[in-house]
Amino acid sequence: MDNFEKLVKKSIDKFKMLNKDEKILVSVSGGKDSHAAAYVLNKLGYNIELFHINLGIKNFSDISLEKVKELSNILEVPLHIVNLKDITGKTIEDLKRKHCSICGITKRYLMNKFGYENNFDVIVTGHNLDDEVSFLLNNLLNWSVRYLAKHFPVLPAHDKFLKKVKIFYEIEEDLILKYAVKNNIPFTTAKCKFAKDAITLKHRAYLNELEKERKNIKKQFLYGYLKYRHLFDIEEDFQFRECEICGMTSAGKICSFCRVWKLYKKSKYKN
Ligand code: SF4
Ligand code: ZN
């Protein structure tokens, strides 16, 4: 086991993230983080399968799919692919606005639904320390208190939501990149054309600038949050229920996914 793998194992143990008897679905995007997550979990002996969503973004989705298939071949683990267009009749490309926020809702929903319907115990994503601190900053800037309590590496299962785990929660992006390159893990560096609009990428850029002057500021921010996150732990003022269109767990009558893709227009709901 090399130093990076030891670091990941230590983090998994520290936060009691995963068990060897769990059936794990790793959400892979084509990029280095999720591919390194699948690779290291496979190496550490966890029972994993891969899940990928074809978002239908020109060029970017094609190259991502190619890399995901390469990874599945190397690891010799099953790969499940879902095409957004088959489900919604549209792609991310067809949206007029809010590409990233709708894309985020879509990815979270589809991986959870697939995992739930196929008896997986847990979903693993490749989010790393740099992602976490930029999400955290964004939620602080917006005072999204409901979300501020949820920046934890393990979110427990409830209703039809599976347990979700971020194995790289404490791991910096550059370490993951070095590990991916060292082990010849296939991944693409292609950037989605909508990435420029993502505010969290802007947060990430100035947090990196700050890190040059204040070493370890990102870790300090993250560990400070872990110490004080209980302050944001508020009681939800609603009850989860089943979405009236798709039946998955929802905070309202219709879940965010069915709402943003206007699936009620195709359902009996409005008739
Ligand atoms: Fe989706 Fe935005 Fe990421 Fe593109 S940059 S894949 S639209 S979240
Ligand atoms: Zn729904």
Side-chain angles (χ1 to χ4, degrees):
M1 209 188 283
D2 76 4
N3 284 342
F4 180 85
E5 288 155 5
K6 281 184 196 153
L7 206 59
V8 176
K9 167 110 184 30
K10 199 171 151 200
S11 200
I12 290 174
D13 293 344
K14 174 173 150 192
F15 291 104
K16 298 185 174 58
M17 292 184 191
L18 298 168
N19 297 315
K20 287 277 166 73
D21 55 2
E22 283 175 323
K23 194 176 164 202
I24 301 169
L25 188 63
V26 185
S27 178
V28 286
S29 65
K32 65 183 186 321
D33 303 297
S34 58
H35 286 210
Y39 187 94
V40 72
L41 286 178
N42 188 52
K43 189 144 183 217
L44 293 173
Y46 288 93
N47 174 18
I48 66 160
E49 296 188 19
L50 309 180
F51 176 74
H52 178 72
I53 305 166
N54 185 340
L55 298 164
I57 300 169
K58 276 189 200 97
N59 303 327
F60 174 71
S61 288
D62 298 334
I63 178 83
S64 301
L65 185 59
E66 203 179 290
K67 294 295 164 189
V68 163
K69 286 182 178 167
E70 271 181 50
L71 179 73
S72 162
N73 287 337
I74 286 173
L75 300 183
E76 298 180 351
V77 295
L79 167 64
H80 308 280
I81 300 168
V82 163
N83 279 303
L84 180 59
K85 192 158 192 171
D86 294 343
I87 298 163
T88 62
K90 287 184 182 161
T91 66
I92 295 292
E93 191 94 35
D94 296 327
L95 296 168
K96 297 273 179 287
R97 59 196 191 99
K98 291 189 173 177
H99 296 89
C100 289
S101 80
I102 293 180
C103 186
I105 290 169
T106 301
K107 288 190 277 197
R108 283 191 294 276
Y109 174 88
L110 290 177
M111 69 185 173
N112 184 73
K113 188 166 193 281
F114 183 89
Y116 176 77
E117 289 173 349
N118 291 280
N119 302 315
F120 284 88
D121 298 302
V122 49
I123 290 168
V124 167
T125 59
H127 295 108
N128 59 41
L129 180 143
D130 295 76
D131 296 320
E132 282 310 308
V133 290
S134 60
F135 293 156
L136 191 52
L137 179 61
N138 196 48
N139 282 335
L140 271 175
L141 291 172
N142 292 316
W143 286 111
S144 307
V145 180
R146 225 188 112 202
Y147 297 111
L148 276 171
K150 295 183 178 158
H151 287 279
F152 201 63
V154 183
L155 292 180
H158 71 88
D159 303 280
K160 293 182 184 175
F161 286 128
L162 293 190
K163 179 170 105 171
K164 299 200 178 56
V165 165
K166 297 167 184 170
I167 61 163
F168 292 152
Y169 184 84
E170 294 183 286
I171 317 269
E172 286 148 312
E173 183 177 27
D174 52 353
L175 287 183
I176 300 169
L177 176 61
K178 280 183 197 147
Y179 180 75
V181 171
K182 182 181 153 196
N183 290 284
N184 292 318
I185 299 172
F187 68 89
T188 174
T189 53
K191 292 271 172 277
C192 167
K193 63 181 166 188
F194 302 114
K196 61 183 184 336
D197 304 329
I199 188 75
T200 48
L201 290 181
K202 291 181 181 132
H203 295 333
R204 187 196 274 254
Y206 42 74
L207 280 163
N208 283 337
E209 279 304 305
L210 194 57
E211 180 83 25
K212 286 180 194 160
E213 290 176 33
R214 295 266 313 272
K215 198 161 166 39
N216 281 332
I217 189 78
K218 289 187 285 189
K219 280 196 168 164
Q220 190 183 315
F221 186 37
L222 193 72
Y223 291 120
Y225 164 76
L226 285 174
K227 191 170 170 191
Y228 294 113
R229 68 186 271 271
H230 62 278
L231 299 174
F232 301 108
D233 218 351
I234 47 161
E235 286 234 342
E236 301 281 17
D237 56 359
F238 61 87
Q239 291 235 307
F240 284 105
R241 54 172 105 178
E242 288 188 352
C243 167
E244 293 190 8
I245 294 168
C246 69
M248 294 303 288
T249 301
S250 169
K253 271 188 181 181
I254 303 177
C255 75
S256 318
F257 178 82
C258 291
R259 194 160 23 86
V260 296
W261 290 104
K262 300 188 170 47
L263 296 188
Y264 48 80
K265 287 192 174 165
K266 293 181 186 162
S267 79
K268 290 181 193 141
Y269 184 75
K270 277 254 161 152
N271 295 335

